[in-house]
CSV table of all heavy atoms in Angstrom, one decimal:
chain,number,residue,atom,x,y,z
A,1,THR,N,89.9,64.2,64.2
A,1,THR,CA,89.7,65.5,64.8
A,1,THR,C,91.0,65.9,65.6
A,1,THR,O,91.5,65.2,66.4
A,1,THR,CB,88.5,65.6,65.8
A,1,THR,OG1,87.3,65.3,65.1
A,1,THR,CG2,88.4,67.0,66.4
A,2,LEU,N,91.6,67.0,65.2
A,2,LEU,CA,92.8,67.5,65.8
A,2,LEU,C,92.4,68.6,66.9
A,2,LEU,O,91.4,69.3,66.7
A,2,LEU,CB,93.7,68.2,64.8
A,2,LEU,CG,94.2,67.3,63.6
A,2,LEU,CD1,95.1,68.1,62.7
A,2,LEU,CD2,94.8,66.0,64.1
A,3,SER,N,93.1,68.7,68.0
A,3,SER,CA,92.9,69.7,69.0
A,3,SER,C,94.2,70.4,69.3
A,3,SER,O,95.3,69.8,69.2
A,3,SER,CB,92.4,69.0,70.3
A,3,SER,OG,91.1,68.4,70.0
A,4,CYS,N,94.1,71.6,69.7
A,4,CYS,CA,95.3,72.5,70.0
A,4,CYS,C,94.9,73.3,71.3
A,4,CYS,O,94.0,74.1,71.3
A,4,CYS,CB,95.6,73.4,68.9
A,4,CYS,SG,97.0,74.6,69.2
A,5,ALA,N,95.7,73.1,72.3
A,5,ALA,CA,95.5,73.8,73.6
A,5,ALA,C,96.6,74.8,73.7
A,5,ALA,O,97.8,74.5,73.6
A,5,ALA,CB,95.5,72.8,74.7
A,6,ALA,N,96.2,76.0,74.0
A,6,ALA,CA,97.2,77.1,74.2
A,6,ALA,C,97.3,77.4,75.7
A,6,ALA,O,96.4,77.4,76.4
A,6,ALA,CB,96.7,78.4,73.4
A,7,SER,N,98.6,77.8,76.1
A,7,SER,CA,98.8,78.1,77.4
A,7,SER,C,99.9,79.3,77.4
A,7,SER,O,100.5,79.6,76.4
A,7,SER,CB,99.3,76.9,78.2
A,7,SER,OG,100.5,76.4,77.7
A,8,GLY,N,100.1,79.9,78.6
A,8,GLY,CA,101.0,81.0,78.7
A,8,GLY,C,100.2,82.3,78.6
A,8,GLY,O,99.1,82.5,79.2
A,9,ASP,N,100.7,83.3,77.9
A,9,ASP,CA,100.1,84.6,77.7
A,9,ASP,C,99.0,84.6,76.7
A,9,ASP,O,99.1,85.2,75.6
A,9,ASP,CB,101.2,85.6,77.3
A,9,ASP,CG,102.3,85.8,78.4
A,9,ASP,OD1,101.9,85.5,79.6
A,9,ASP,OD2,103.4,86.1,78.1
A,10,THR,N,98.0,83.8,76.9
A,10,THR,CA,96.9,83.6,75.9
A,10,THR,C,96.1,84.9,75.7
A,10,THR,O,95.4,84.9,74.7
A,10,THR,CB,96.0,82.4,76.4
A,10,THR,OG1,95.4,82.7,77.7
A,10,THR,CG2,96.8,81.1,76.4
A,11,PHE,N,96.2,85.9,76.5
A,11,PHE,CA,95.5,87.1,76.3
A,11,PHE,C,96.0,87.8,75.0
A,11,PHE,O,95.3,88.6,74.5
A,11,PHE,CB,95.7,88.1,77.5
A,11,PHE,CG,97.1,88.5,77.7
A,11,PHE,CD1,97.6,89.7,77.1
A,11,PHE,CD2,98.0,87.8,78.5
A,11,PHE,CE1,98.9,90.1,77.2
A,11,PHE,CE2,99.3,88.2,78.6
A,11,PHE,CZ,99.7,89.4,78.0
A,12,SER,N,97.2,87.5,74.6
A,12,SER,CA,97.7,88.1,73.4
A,12,SER,C,97.3,87.4,72.1
A,12,SER,O,97.7,87.9,71.0
A,12,SER,CB,99.3,88.1,73.5
A,12,SER,OG,99.8,86.8,73.5
A,13,ILE,N,96.6,86.4,72.2
A,13,ILE,CA,96.2,85.6,70.9
A,13,ILE,C,95.1,86.4,70.2
A,13,ILE,O,94.1,86.7,70.8
A,13,ILE,CB,95.8,84.2,71.3
A,13,ILE,CG1,96.9,83.4,71.9
A,13,ILE,CG2,95.2,83.5,70.0
A,13,ILE,CD1,96.5,82.0,72.3
A,14,TYR,N,95.3,86.6,68.9
A,14,TYR,CA,94.3,87.3,68.1
A,14,TYR,C,93.6,86.2,67.2
A,14,TYR,O,92.4,86.2,67.1
A,14,TYR,CB,95.0,88.4,67.3
A,14,TYR,CG,94.1,89.0,66.2
A,14,TYR,CD1,92.9,89.6,66.6
A,14,TYR,CD2,94.4,89.0,64.9
A,14,TYR,CE1,92.0,90.2,65.7
A,14,TYR,CE2,93.6,89.6,64.0
A,14,TYR,CZ,92.4,90.2,64.4
A,14,TYR,OH,91.6,90.8,63.5
A,15,LEU,N,94.4,85.4,66.5
A,15,LEU,CA,93.9,84.4,65.6
A,15,LEU,C,94.5,83.1,66.0
A,15,LEU,O,95.7,83.0,66.5
A,15,LEU,CB,94.2,84.7,64.1
A,15,LEU,CG,93.7,86.0,63.5
A,15,LEU,CD1,94.3,86.2,62.1
A,15,LEU,CD2,92.2,85.9,63.4
A,16,MET,N,93.8,82.0,65.7
A,16,MET,CA,94.4,80.7,65.8
A,16,MET,C,94.0,79.9,64.5
A,16,MET,O,93.0,80.2,63.9
A,16,MET,CB,93.9,79.9,67.0
A,16,MET,CG,94.3,80.6,68.4
A,16,MET,SD,94.0,79.5,69.8
A,16,MET,CE,95.2,78.2,69.6
A,17,GLY,N,94.9,79.0,64.2
A,17,GLY,CA,94.6,78.2,63.0
A,17,GLY,C,95.5,77.0,62.9
A,17,GLY,O,96.3,76.7,63.7
A,18,TRP,N,95.3,76.3,61.7
A,18,TRP,CA,96.1,75.1,61.4
A,18,TRP,C,96.8,75.3,60.1
A,18,TRP,O,96.2,75.8,59.1
A,18,TRP,CB,95.1,73.9,61.3
A,18,TRP,CG,94.6,73.5,62.7
A,18,TRP,CD1,93.4,73.9,63.2
A,18,TRP,CD2,95.2,72.6,63.6
A,18,TRP,NE1,93.2,73.4,64.5
A,18,TRP,CE2,94.3,72.6,64.7
A,18,TRP,CE3,96.3,71.9,63.6
A,18,TRP,CZ2,94.5,71.8,65.8
A,18,TRP,CZ3,96.6,71.1,64.7
A,18,TRP,CH2,95.7,71.0,65.8
A,19,TYR,N,98.0,74.9,60.0
A,19,TYR,CA,98.8,74.8,58.8
A,19,TYR,C,99.2,73.3,58.6
A,19,TYR,O,99.2,72.5,59.6
A,19,TYR,CB,100.0,75.7,58.9
A,19,TYR,CG,99.8,77.2,58.8
A,19,TYR,CD1,99.2,77.8,59.9
A,19,TYR,CD2,100.1,77.9,57.7
A,19,TYR,CE1,99.0,79.2,59.8
A,19,TYR,CE2,99.9,79.3,57.6
A,19,TYR,CZ,99.3,79.9,58.7
A,19,TYR,OH,99.1,81.3,58.6
A,20,ARG,N,99.6,73.0,57.4
A,20,ARG,CA,100.1,71.7,57.2
A,20,ARG,C,101.3,71.7,56.2
A,20,ARG,O,101.4,72.7,55.4
A,20,ARG,CB,99.0,70.7,56.6
A,20,ARG,CG,98.5,71.0,55.2
A,20,ARG,CD,97.4,70.1,54.9
A,20,ARG,NE,96.9,70.4,53.6
A,20,ARG,CZ,95.8,69.8,53.0
A,20,ARG,NH1,95.1,68.9,53.8
A,20,ARG,NH2,95.4,70.1,51.8
A,21,GLN,N,102.2,70.8,56.3
A,21,GLN,CA,103.3,70.7,55.4
A,21,GLN,C,103.5,69.2,55.0
A,21,GLN,O,103.8,68.4,55.8
A,21,GLN,CB,104.6,71.2,56.0
A,21,GLN,CG,105.8,71.3,55.1
A,21,GLN,CD,106.9,72.2,55.7
A,21,GLN,OE1,107.0,72.3,56.9
A,21,GLN,NE2,107.7,72.7,54.8
A,22,ALA,N,103.4,69.0,53.7
A,22,ALA,CA,103.7,67.7,53.1
A,22,ALA,C,105.1,67.6,52.6
A,22,ALA,O,105.7,68.6,52.4
A,22,ALA,CB,102.7,67.4,52.0
A,23,PRO,N,105.7,66.4,52.5
A,23,PRO,CA,107.1,66.3,52.1
A,23,PRO,C,107.3,67.0,50.7
A,23,PRO,O,106.5,66.8,49.8
A,23,PRO,CB,107.3,64.8,51.9
A,23,PRO,CG,106.3,64.2,52.9
A,23,PRO,CD,105.1,65.1,52.9
A,24,GLY,N,108.3,67.8,50.6
A,24,GLY,CA,108.6,68.5,49.4
A,24,GLY,C,107.8,69.7,49.1
A,24,GLY,O,107.9,70.3,48.0
A,25,LYS,N,106.9,70.1,50.0
A,25,LYS,CA,106.0,71.2,49.7
A,25,LYS,C,106.2,72.3,50.8
A,25,LYS,O,106.7,72.0,51.9
A,25,LYS,CB,104.5,70.7,49.7
A,25,LYS,CG,104.2,69.8,48.5
A,25,LYS,CD,102.7,69.6,48.4
A,25,LYS,CE,102.4,68.8,47.1
A,25,LYS,NZ,100.9,68.6,47.0
A,26,GLN,N,105.7,73.5,50.5
A,26,GLN,CA,105.7,74.6,51.4
A,26,GLN,C,104.6,74.4,52.4
A,26,GLN,O,103.6,73.8,52.2
A,26,GLN,CB,105.6,75.9,50.7
A,26,GLN,CG,106.7,76.3,49.8
A,26,GLN,CD,107.9,76.7,50.6
A,26,GLN,OE1,108.9,75.9,50.6
A,26,GLN,NE2,107.9,77.8,51.2
A,27,ARG,N,104.8,74.9,53.6
A,27,ARG,CA,103.8,74.9,54.6
A,27,ARG,C,102.6,75.8,54.1
A,27,ARG,O,102.8,76.9,53.6
A,27,ARG,CB,104.3,75.5,55.9
A,27,ARG,CG,103.3,75.3,57.1
A,27,ARG,CD,104.0,75.7,58.4
A,27,ARG,NE,105.1,74.8,58.7
A,27,ARG,CZ,105.8,74.8,59.9
A,27,ARG,NH1,105.5,75.7,60.8
A,27,ARG,NH2,106.8,73.9,60.1
A,28,GLU,N,101.4,75.3,54.3
A,28,GLU,CA,100.2,76.0,53.8
A,28,GLU,C,99.1,76.2,54.8
A,28,GLU,O,99.0,75.3,55.7
A,28,GLU,CB,99.6,75.3,52.5
A,28,GLU,CG,99.1,73.9,52.8
A,28,GLU,CD,98.4,73.3,51.6
A,28,GLU,OE1,98.2,74.0,50.6
A,28,GLU,OE2,98.1,72.1,51.7
A,29,LEU,N,98.4,77.2,54.7
A,29,LEU,CA,97.3,77.5,55.7
A,29,LEU,C,96.1,76.5,55.3
A,29,LEU,O,95.7,76.4,54.2
A,29,LEU,CB,96.8,78.9,55.6
A,29,LEU,CG,95.5,79.2,56.4
A,29,LEU,CD1,95.8,79.2,57.9
A,29,LEU,CD2,95.0,80.6,56.0
A,30,VAL,N,95.6,75.8,56.3
A,30,VAL,CA,94.5,74.9,56.2
A,30,VAL,C,93.2,75.6,56.6
A,30,VAL,O,92.2,75.6,55.9
A,30,VAL,CB,94.6,73.6,57.0
A,30,VAL,CG1,93.4,72.7,56.9
A,30,VAL,CG2,95.9,72.9,56.5
A,31,ALA,N,93.2,76.2,57.8
A,31,ALA,CA,92.0,76.9,58.3
A,31,ALA,C,92.4,77.9,59.4
A,31,ALA,O,93.4,77.6,60.1
A,31,ALA,CB,91.0,75.9,58.8
A,32,ARG,N,91.6,78.9,59.6
A,32,ARG,CA,91.9,79.9,60.6
A,32,ARG,C,90.6,80.4,61.2
A,32,ARG,O,89.6,80.5,60.5
A,32,ARG,CB,92.7,81.1,59.9
A,32,ARG,CG,93.3,82.1,60.9
A,32,ARG,CD,94.2,83.1,60.1
A,32,ARG,NE,93.5,83.8,59.1
A,32,ARG,CZ,94.1,84.3,58.0
A,32,ARG,NH1,95.4,84.2,57.8
A,32,ARG,NH2,93.3,85.0,57.1
A,33,ILE,N,90.7,80.8,62.5
A,33,ILE,CA,89.5,81.3,63.1
A,33,ILE,C,89.8,82.4,64.0
A,33,ILE,O,90.9,82.4,64.7
A,33,ILE,CB,88.8,80.2,63.9
A,33,ILE,CG1,87.4,80.6,64.4
A,33,ILE,CG2,89.6,79.6,65.0
A,33,ILE,CD1,86.5,79.5,64.9
A,34,ALA,N,89.0,83.5,64.1
A,34,ALA,CA,89.1,84.6,65.0
A,34,ALA,C,88.1,84.5,66.1
A,34,ALA,O,87.3,83.6,66.1
A,34,ALA,CB,89.0,85.9,64.2
């Protein structure tokens, strides 16, 4: 289980999500939540 904590101007956040990048590959969207 991965966790991500946001700080700063968090009022401006619309979407949050996770991307991943494997060696030799482009960064890709894994999951997103509104």
Side-chain angles (χ1 to χ4, degrees):
T1 299
L2 306 181
S3 297
C4 174
S7 61
D9 298 332
T10 58
F11 66 91
S12 65
I13 297 176
Y14 174 58
L15 298 170
M16 295 189 71
W18 292 91
Y19 289 72
R20 68 185 181 187
Q21 187 167 22
K25 293 188 176 182
Q26 294 289 108
R27 188 172 298 185
E28 64 176 350
L29 175 68
V30 177
R32 188 172 63 204
I33 188 168

